[in-house]
Amino acid sequence: MLAWLVAQAAAASTHLASATRPLSVGVVEQPCASLSAPAPGLKEIQEWLLDPAAREQGEGPEPKVPAGAQAADEERLREDWASLCRYRVENAALTHPTEPRVVFMGDSITELWRSAHPDFFGTRFLDRGVAGQTTAQMLVRFRQDVLALKPAVVHLMGGLGDIAGNAGPTSLDAIKGNIISMVELARASDIRVVLASVTPASAFPGRPAIVEPARHIVELNAWLRRYARDRSLVYIDYHEALADERDGMKETFSNDGVHPNRDGYAMMEPLARHAIEEALAGAGAVQSAKSRAHAKR
């Protein structure tokens, strides 16, 4: 249940104004002009998920779901299905980077990372995760939230939302296709790709209809590793670092069995830094080769 609540509550931060206003239609000058405040209870739920000590205190805080939340969520999906409004203001406020920029693109695992360890992010590392998103939604916003920011590296982690059924039934082939498209877009823009494994989960709380997610995650991760090797991408295996013997999340690293807590993110961060440095080193080698080729002309 908590996994679903976090996805819904985080998505509520991009809800458009209430259904009493006229709906925007077609091309408008300010498609994201009317944004509502984050859903009540979001911070409390996030803190329960992230605090390692909270796991021993029971089921967590009672969520304060506002009246009309379901209608508001349906409106958001209708008017901003891919959450294109989520980072529009932050993106517009960015200044030219003084060092190579890295964009973390993903779902709730990525979005919560900044709340867990805000010092890990800043002007160099940018968090562009959206809770609850599938790879199809990530692909739609990839141009504005990655390509337009002109990073040297993109840290790409997606697929958990698809396997959780957040946008209805899907297939592993569909997930793979979306990831391939994002990788190809990045490489066409000379952006190095760090391809991350899907983090472990043996069940999704409150979603008993999603059976054997661990098996699907393992299968997808095996493909991600092969694809990264075949395309000379840097691969990070977060799954191995976080998984228990059942391919679920180790209890010490998660409070709900799906989202890492601060200890889980602390385990992930050295792996991320190492992979990013490896990708940047590769980017430097490519740039040097291009410079030498240009000098010979």
Side-chain angles (χ1 to χ4, degrees):
M1 186 64 177
L2 275 169
W4 180 86
L5 287 170
V6 168
Q8 298 302 311
S13 66
T14 57
H15 279 162
L16 302 176
S18 70
T20 58
R21 66 170 178 81
L23 296 179
S24 300
V25 178
V27 178
V28 296
E29 291 186 4
Q30 300 293 335
C32 300
S34 300
L35 298 178
S36 64
L42 171 60
K43 289 185 177 180
E44 289 84 354
I45 295 171
Q46 285 187 343
E47 184 54 35
W48 184 88
L49 285 168
L50 296 174
D51 183 5
R55 186 173 56 84
E56 303 173 0
Q57 299 173 6
E59 292 297 324
E62 182 68 24
K64 302 175 183 177
V65 180
Q70 182 174 352
D73 191 57
E74 290 174 356
E75 182 179 349
R76 179 191 64 82
L77 290 174
R78 182 171 64 252
E79 294 206 2
D80 191 19
W81 174 78
S83 294
L84 295 174
C85 294
R86 174 67 175 84
Y87 290 105
R88 185 161 293 187
V89 173
E90 288 187 51
N91 290 345
L94 290 174
T95 58
H96 187 74
T98 58
E99 55 185 339
R101 176 178 285 165
V102 180
V103 174
F104 283 65
M105 182 66 161
D107 49 37
S108 61
I109 308 301
T110 299
E111 181 173 8
L112 283 170
W113 200 333
R114 180 162 60 168
S115 297
H117 292 161
D119 292 343
F120 184 68
F121 297 92
T123 57
R124 185 187 182 204
F125 290 178
L126 303 179
D127 189 315
R128 292 297 181 266
V130 173
Q133 281 215 322
T134 64
T135 53
Q137 292 166 308
M138 290 167 55
L139 176 58
V140 171
R141 65 183 180 89
F142 197 80
R143 181 169 297 277
Q144 73 165 47
D145 286 345
V146 178
L147 303 186
L149 308 186
K150 300 186 183 304
V153 175
V154 59
H155 175 286
L156 179 58
M157 179 166 55
L160 190 65
D162 304 69
I163 294 171
N166 289 349
T170 188
S171 67
L172 290 181
D173 283 343
I175 300 171
K176 295 172 187 178
N178 293 330
I179 290 171
I180 289 170
S181 293
M182 286 186 275
V183 170
E184 290 177 346
L185 285 169
R187 298 186 73 170
S189 298
D190 291 326
I191 299 169
R192 302 287 289 184
V193 178
V194 170
L195 192 58
S197 72
V198 179
T199 50
S202 58
F204 294 108
R207 289 190 172 181
I210 306 298
V211 296
E212 298 187 290
R215 178 173 63 86
H216 296 306
I217 290 170
V218 168
E219 184 176 348
L220 179 57
N221 284 341
W223 175 83
L224 288 168
R225 183 189 293 275
R226 292 193 303 271
Y227 178 71
R229 181 194 61 215
D230 293 343
R231 297 298 186 275
S232 299
L233 311 176
V234 179
Y235 178 73
I236 307 180
D237 194 347
Y238 292 131
H239 188 278
E240 182 179 8
L242 300 174
D244 61 19
E245 66 280 358
R246 298 178 296 110
D247 288 321
M249 186 84 75
K250 289 181 181 177
E251 288 187 1
T252 55
F253 292 146
S254 178
N255 297 352
D256 71 342
V258 177
H259 300 88
N261 57 29
R262 288 190 176 89
D263 287 346
Y265 285 116
M267 176 66 71
M268 295 167 65
E269 283 173 15
L271 301 177
R273 289 187 184 276
H274 178 78
I276 289 166
E277 292 306 318
E278 183 179 347
L280 287 171
V286 170
Q287 187 60 44
S288 297
K290 288 183 177 179
S291 299
R292 289 195 298 270
H294 181 75
K296 291 179 180 179
R297 293 179 183 176

